[in-house]
Structures are given as structure tokens and as C-alpha cells.
Amino acid sequence: TLLTKPDWASLTLGVFVCQACSLLHRSIPHISRVKAVHETWDGGEVELMAAMGNGAAKAKYEQKVPAFYYRPTHSDCKMLREQWIRAKYERNEFEFIEKQDTSLNLCSGYREGFLWKRGRDNGQFLSRKFVLSEREGALKYFNKQDARDPKAVMKIETLNATFQPAKIGNPCGLQITYLKDNSTRNIFVYHSDAKEMVDWFNAIRAARFHYLQVAFPGASDEELVPKLTRNFMKEGFMEKTGPKHTEGFKKRWFTMDDRRLMYFKDPLDAYARGEVFIGSKENSYTVLSGLPPTTQGHHWNHGITIVTPDRKFLFACETEAEQRDWIAAFQRVINRPMRPQEYAVEAHFKHKP
């Protein structure tokens, strides 16, 4: 983490840390002893910090971090940040390549194991076998341990994974999405072992990295790494009405995933009730604050109108702050020119009313 005025330091590791990370360092006291910067320091402690420092520690503890490996930021969930700290300082995974998970090995491209998966219809989490194979270009899961045929085949090409502990109700909760018939499908999983879950996440990133290296042979690592996995731009409840704008408004859970705005009856639904493609301003997409004056049937007062080449979409937010955040998210997407491949997505897009 880039620190301007750090409040804490790890005396044993010789690094300065922010307050949030200091709490995580406290959870590994056998590795890291934390002290506040404003406390009284003796000469030996000062010498230790001067001898190491964040730059030298990074060179030592992060010397063999694979390009695809996710480096958490302050905004990531606690579990992801804690496992990064443990991987660096407790397990020394990036000093000694043999200490890394074998499925993250560049030559492996294969991982299998069991994850708790949420049932689509009953909401129960059941143990399911998952297999990630770069050779087959897919992540698969099986409903029965001895089943020959997978229940689902998720192509690495459209695979995404994002940690969602609050939504899933588990600190290791991971939401996996993929495209099926050009519609988004959600799968919610977790594992009781945090390291195992982070290894699965990075194995998915490794598979995506190697797929993109083949798909874009001239691209640098710096260009490919941001495309491996992505967090959603925004999520939350809004009200929406149908295409005629005469139907009553219904409360729905919305997810903004790049240019796809999806809405669900429940945040943990497997399939979206509908998806809206959000293009760019050059292609006649705009977002407006408020609703047309004749609009009726909404319980929430803070309206948003999205104008597309085909129709207008009307939404209502519960608070002004939510309205402001959603408009900002839409505006970021609309202000960004469309890439060539996004025109193909727009052409194939099917939104349900």
C-alpha cells in the first residue's frame, strides 16, 4: 500500500503499515510485532526500521509474485488482504517458488477440489466438485462425486470471479460469473479455508492470463492483467418499470458489470431477469437525473433515466446519495468510447422488458 503518513510499523518485518493492515498484522504475532509510530522507540528499533523499510521488504518478500496473482488494495475484503499478508510474510510464497500452490504453476493449468456451492432453487450450500482445466478452456462442476458429465461448463473466455463476503454471508464468499447464450449466469461458492479460496481465485486468474496471452499474442503483461478479473462497478436496489412506462415500478437488485446493467429479483439469483447494454455517448447513450414528468407508480423519489438508441429505461433510487452514485457509475461507462469487440456485444444483446 502507498502510505503518505503511516501510523503503524511492524518491528519484526521492518515495514510501515496503515491502520487497517496493522490489525491484520496483529493476527500473525509470531511473524509480525506491531507498534504505533507515535509511541516511544528505542535506538535498536529505529535501526531495524532503517535497515529494512518498505522498498527493501517489497524486493525481498514480493520477488517472485506471478504476473496474474492478485495484489489486494485497501478497498478489498479483509480475507483477501489477510491472505496476501500471510502469503508474503508467513508462508514466504514469493521468496521461494516451491511454496506456491501447484495449480498456480505456469506449467500446471489444472486444479480440482470441492467448494460449497449455493443451490439455484433452494439456496442451500452443498459440496460440489470443481475442475479448472486450461487444456479444456473451462471451469466445470459436478453435482455428484462420481458423475461423468459436469452440471455446468464455464468457458475461461467469459469467466469472472469477485469476492462478495457480505452478499454471500461468508468471509470467503466468491461470486463466479460466465456467459451462457450471451446472458450472465451467477454461481456463489465458498470454502472454509481462506487460503484454499484465494488459491482458487488466483488459479482462475492464471487460466484467464494464459488464455489472453494466446488470444492477444502481442500484448504485454501490463495490458492483460487488468482484464483477468473485475469487481462490479456498482450494486444495489433500485425500482424499475417496464418498456411502456405504464406498469408499476418493482424493486430489483441491480449489478453494473462493465457495460452490462443486470437486474435480479434477489441479489443471489442465478440468472438476471434482464440485462441492459450501456454504450457510449458517441453512440447516443445518455443518463439523466430524474424521470419524465408523467411517470407514475414509483415509491422512491430519486429518479434516473437512461436513454439508449432503442428506448428509455426508468429507475428510481431510495436516497439522493444512491442516485448520485448510480449516475456517476453510468456516466463513467457512457464517457468511455466503445471498443471494437463491444459493438459485437451490443449487436447480440438481448434485454428482457
Side-chain angles (χ1 to χ4, degrees):
T1 312
L2 287 172
L3 299 166
T4 47
K5 285 188 176 179
D7 296 317
W8 297 86
S10 168
L11 287 176
T12 36
L13 298 170
V15 293
F16 291 98
V17 296
C18 66
Q19 185 173 1
C21 288
S22 74
L23 297 173
L24 299 176
H25 277 259
R26 285 176 198 271
S27 67
I28 48 168
H30 54 294
I31 302 291
S32 182
R33 188 162 71 85
V34 178
K35 185 168 184 172
V37 169
H38 59 74
E39 289 180 41
T40 305
W41 290 52
D42 63 41
E45 291 171 338
V46 174
E47 278 178 33
L48 192 147
M49 293 301 295
M52 180 58 92
N54 288 42
K58 187 181 175 79
K60 178 186 177 186
Y61 293 109
E62 298 181 28
Q63 57 185 289
K64 292 185 172 75
V65 181
F68 57 78
Y69 199 97
Y70 187 74
R71 297 167 179 257
T73 68
H74 66 92
S75 59
D76 282 302
C77 66
K78 179 189 171 191
M79 184 273 298
L80 202 49
R81 289 183 290 120
E82 182 178 334
Q83 285 305 308
W84 169 244
I85 288 169
R86 287 184 181 274
K88 278 201 295 186
Y89 303 124
E90 186 179 45
R91 299 192 292 267
N92 302 105
E93 287 183 25
F94 312 122
E95 278 186 88
F96 310 103
I97 209 86
E98 64 273 12
K99 294 196 175 185
Q100 287 178 22
D101 185 86
T102 51
S103 70
L104 304 183
N105 187 305
L106 290 173
C107 311
S108 161
Y110 184 87
R111 182 183 181 88
E112 68 171 70
F114 288 85
L115 297 172
W116 293 97
K117 178 194 166 289
R118 188 179 190 274
R120 193 178 82 189
D121 301 318
N122 59 13
Q124 264 188 306
F125 280 88
L126 296 168
S127 181
R128 294 286 181 254
K129 181 183 175 184
F130 280 76
V131 174
L132 176 66
S133 169
E134 285 187 29
R135 189 173 57 79
E136 295 179 44
L139 172 67
K140 302 179 288 189
Y141 80 87
F142 300 81
N143 265 0
K144 293 189 173 65
Q145 201 165 336
D146 55 354
R148 285 184 56 189
D149 297 322
K151 178 71 176 165
V153 178
M154 304 162 243
K155 288 185 177 173
I156 287 170
E157 181 186 357
T158 67
L159 204 57
N160 185 42
T162 174
F163 280 101
Q164 296 274 11
K167 190 201 281 189
I168 295 171
N170 186 285
C172 300
L174 186 73
Q175 180 173 347
I176 296 171
T177 64
Y178 66 101
L179 291 184
K180 186 178 178 183
D181 303 324
N182 203 44
S183 290
T184 305
R185 166 87 159 93
N186 294 323
I187 285 182
F188 302 96
V189 297
Y190 72 87
H191 195 284
S192 54
D193 184 304
K195 178 188 182 302
E196 179 77 6
M197 201 66 255
V198 172
D199 284 345
W200 267 104
F201 176 61
N202 279 305
I204 288 170
R205 286 177 61 86
R208 290 266 309 146
F209 185 58
H210 302 142
Y211 165 80
L212 290 170
Q213 281 181 317
V214 174
F216 304 98
S220 67
D221 290 358
E222 289 72 27
E223 289 171 294
L224 297 181
V225 166
K227 296 182 169 71
L228 302 186
T229 54
R230 62 194 180 274
N231 294 327
F232 301 135
M233 293 182 73
K234 179 154 175 64
E235 288 194 288
F237 283 107
M238 288 194 289
E239 292 182 332
K240 69 166 288 294
T241 186
K244 294 176 184 161
H245 301 171
T246 53
E247 306 91 331
F249 276 69
K250 290 176 180 167
K251 183 180 170 184
R252 293 287 181 257
W253 177 264
F254 283 81
T255 297
M256 186 76 189
D257 183 12
D258 200 31
R259 290 198 184 274
R260 285 175 184 266
L261 176 66
M262 300 169 274
Y263 52 91
F264 307 83
K265 195 168 184 183
D266 183 273
L268 295 174
D269 281 348
Y271 292 99
R273 290 295 179 97
E275 302 191 31
V276 181
F277 182 85
I278 311 288
S280 66
K281 59 188 176 189
E282 290 87 354
N283 299 84
S284 306
Y285 289 83
T286 51
V287 58
L288 307 168
S289 177
L291 298 170
T294 54
T295 312
Q296 294 179 331
H298 51 96
H299 305 97
W300 291 347
N301 296 324
H302 307 280
I304 299 173
T305 301
I306 291 184
V307 182
T308 77
D310 299 325
R311 57 171 274 203
K312 289 179 179 177
F313 291 89
L314 309 184
F315 308 112
C317 301
E318 188 173 16
T319 67
E320 195 176 339
E322 274 289 286
Q323 178 199 39
R324 198 167 50 241
D325 288 351
W326 274 111
I327 288 174
F330 293 140
Q331 202 65 61
R332 276 203 306 278
V333 173
I334 286 170
N335 286 346
R336 196 179 73 217
M338 275 167 63
R339 299 190 297 268
Q341 58 268 38
E342 289 174 332
Y343 285 98
V345 176
E346 183 186 38
H348 290 110
F349 220 82
K350 299 178 292 201
H351 64 249
K352 300 171 190 130

